[in-house]
Amino acid sequence: MIILSLETSCDETGAAVVEKKDNEQFVRVLSNVTATSSSLHAKTGGIIPEFAAREQIKAIIPVIVRALLNSEGINNEAIKQLNNSKQFERANEILKKSIDAIAVTSGPGLIGSLLVGVETAKTLSFAFDKPIIPVHHLLAHLFANFILNTEYSILNTGKMFPFIGLIVSGGHTDLLLFESASKFKWLGGTRDDAAGEALDKVGRILGLSYPAGPEIERRANNQQPTAKFHSPLINTEDFDFSFSGLKTEISRFIVKKHLTERLINEVCHALQEAIFAVLIKKTIRAAKLYKINNILLGGGVSANQTLRQQFELTAKSQLPTAKISAPAKTYATDNAAMIGAYALLNYKPVDWHKITALPDLYFD
Ligand code: KG4
Ligand code: ZN
């Protein structure tokens, strides 16, 4: 089966063409195109929803056309040689002939942004008479681990379920136990800021541009541990997290200090340590408690190499049977391939007129 998938929950506009063969457990990406308006938001230090949606309205059709053409091996150089009507004609043919269904992020996310993807997907489904699958953005982050060629892949373990899933994105931090693609239990989550949000907000205090996660990772790698901050819920028995206090602690730590490069790097290092320690401790504890060996990470923060390495190290000493899996970097941050991957592994089409954008979608 081949799916065209769309993702527009935040500031990215993504379209992908993904495939799963009946006898395979994994998903192949035939094309994956992502346009981002993050440079616009870098100036404002955070996303302005109206700006993000306006950019998505402009980007969605060109991104879909490119994803369709790329999926048939027509590269971007070759696309440039075609005029608009030729591009549309080819995309139209590919959609008609090769695409079996359309998947789209239905939530959670920014309402204006979600609507761009959802309404476009509904229109394509109606016009081309293709089934449509609404996809939960957060669950899709975990299912990015089932895309072929991931670096630390669950696919190497040969067994997909059960697994403990840790979602660490810009807006969410959640721990779940999955028994199958559609059967899962929510174990806990953040009570305030998400892990990525804490990185981005402290980044803003330090004068880094948005989103701050990648720069914090780079700076932290250049610094020996000196300062130390704490995540409040680290020693509780539940699976909840709290990261909002870190902003205050760090604001106090740097107040009246001259923000040198060294001090910024030091704060970045200590911030990562504080966030990662609690994420790792609680995830490993959940795996031990529920006697589960597969741990899957997903979401933008899971692109962080230090987080992946620290997970591996802790698992080695505390739960040697554990296998840690994280998506390839391209599929860790928001992308449409993961939306298609989840739709292929949990194929549940819905009548197109029943699909709507669900900004507050959570875990039922
Ligand atoms: O999953 P994502 O792309 O979007 C949401 O669904 O929110 O996650 C974005 C978050 C941002 O907070 C960004 O700072 C963080 O992921 N991020 C990282 C890295 N790359 C992106 N955090 C730490 N290290 C990274 N390398
Ligand atoms: Zn996301």
Side-chain angles (χ1 to χ4, degrees):
M1 168 165 288
I2 299 185
I3 282 187
L4 167 69
S5 51
L6 309 183
E7 152 62 34
T8 63
S9 65
C10 195
D11 58 337
E12 264 89 20
T13 309
V17 177
V18 293
E19 177 178 27
K20 185 179 154 312
K21 302 212 159 94
D22 284 345
N23 57 342
E24 291 175 342
Q25 287 191 325
F26 53 82
V27 172
R28 292 168 198 275
V29 177
L30 305 183
S31 68
N32 182 47
V33 180
T34 310
T36 177
S37 56
S38 71
S39 57
L40 260 183
H41 310 299
K43 291 179 200 143
T44 48
I47 293 170
I48 299 180
E50 171 83 11
F51 286 7
R54 281 173 184 244
E55 292 305 306
Q56 284 160 324
I57 289 168
K58 285 188 248 167
I60 188 89
I61 298 297
V63 164
I64 292 173
V65 167
R66 179 124 69 91
L68 287 166
L69 296 184
N70 285 171
S71 76
E72 298 252 317
I74 307 170
N75 65 25
N76 295 340
E77 268 316 302
I79 294 176
K80 274 193 209 147
Q81 308 303 319
L82 303 173
N83 64 28
N84 278 346
S85 60
K86 267 273 168 262
Q87 289 182 21
F88 273 43
E89 201 178 295
R90 281 296 289 134
N92 212 291
E93 281 165 15
I94 296 165
L95 221 168
K96 249 188 233 154
K97 171 178 72 73
S98 311
I99 303 295
D100 299 303
I102 293 164
V104 62
T105 304
S106 55
L110 304 170
I111 181 70
S113 296
L114 287 169
L115 278 171
V116 176
V118 167
E119 294 307 314
T120 306
K122 279 158 72 172
T123 309
L124 293 178
S125 158
F126 173 71
F128 288 83
D129 193 21
K130 305 281 179 185
I132 179 167
I133 303 111
V135 173
H136 192 305
H137 177 88
L138 300 175
L139 302 186
H141 267 305
L142 293 176
F143 282 75
N145 283 281
F146 296 103
I147 293 173
L148 193 62
N149 290 335
T150 61
E151 194 184 342
Y152 292 81
S153 179
I154 189 176
L155 299 169
N156 301 332
T157 71
K159 194 167 169 247
M160 294 166 77
F161 301 100
F163 68 77
I164 294 286
L166 174 69
I167 301 161
V168 271
S169 72
H172 297 266
T173 301
D174 291 287
L175 198 57
L176 299 108
L177 162 57
F178 269 83
E179 286 172 39
S180 70
S182 57
K183 192 160 180 237
F184 62 87
K185 181 177 163 187
W186 180 81
L187 303 176
T190 184
R191 296 190 190 170
D192 40 58
D193 288 355
E197 191 176 358
L199 292 168
D200 295 336
K201 285 180 175 169
V202 173
R204 193 172 174 172
I205 296 169
L206 298 174
L208 312 184
S209 70
Y210 176 89
E215 185 172 352
I216 290 177
E217 175 173 22
R218 196 168 41 73
R219 286 175 170 274
N221 287 342
N222 294 332
Q223 184 58 44
Q224 291 304 310
T226 35
K228 199 162 179 61
F229 307 123
H230 303 275
S231 284
L233 297 177
I234 191 157
N235 291 320
T236 56
E237 289 301 305
D238 58 27
F239 295 112
D240 283 352
F241 306 92
S242 167
F243 298 115
S244 68
L246 285 164
K247 294 190 297 275
T248 321
E249 198 181 344
I250 290 171
S251 300
R252 290 217 181 109
F253 178 79
I254 60 173
V255 81
K256 292 192 186 142
K257 288 194 173 88
H258 178 56
L259 268 185
T260 58
E261 287 298 305
R262 192 196 156 97
L263 181 64
I264 295 175
N265 294 354
E266 192 176 319
V267 171
C268 290
H269 189 100
L271 171 66
Q272 276 198 176
E273 294 276 301
I275 294 175
F276 296 172
V278 66
L279 291 174
I280 294 168
K281 184 169 180 171
K282 296 204 173 188
T283 306
I284 302 258
R285 185 147 53 73
K288 275 188 185 166
L289 182 70
Y290 293 99
K291 300 188 172 37
I292 288 173
N293 284 325
N294 285 333
I295 295 175
L296 272 62
L297 315 181
V301 182
S302 76
N304 189 294
Q305 208 60 29
T306 309
L307 176 67
R308 294 174 181 210
Q309 284 162 357
Q310 287 182 359
F311 249 112
E312 291 274 352
L313 270 177
T314 314
K316 215 175 232 169
S317 67
Q318 293 183 17
L319 189 62
T321 49
K323 295 267 184 293
I324 313 291
S325 178
K329 281 197 176 187
T330 339
Y331 306 124
T333 49
D334 285 352
N335 68 88
M338 69 181 194
I339 303 301
Y342 189 54
L344 283 168
L345 292 160
N346 190 33
Y347 187 74
K348 289 189 180 151
V350 173
D351 279 352
W352 66 267
H353 53 87
K354 288 194 185 145
I355 294 177
T356 181
L358 300 166
D360 303 318
L361 183 64
Y362 203 49
F363 303 106
D364 302 316

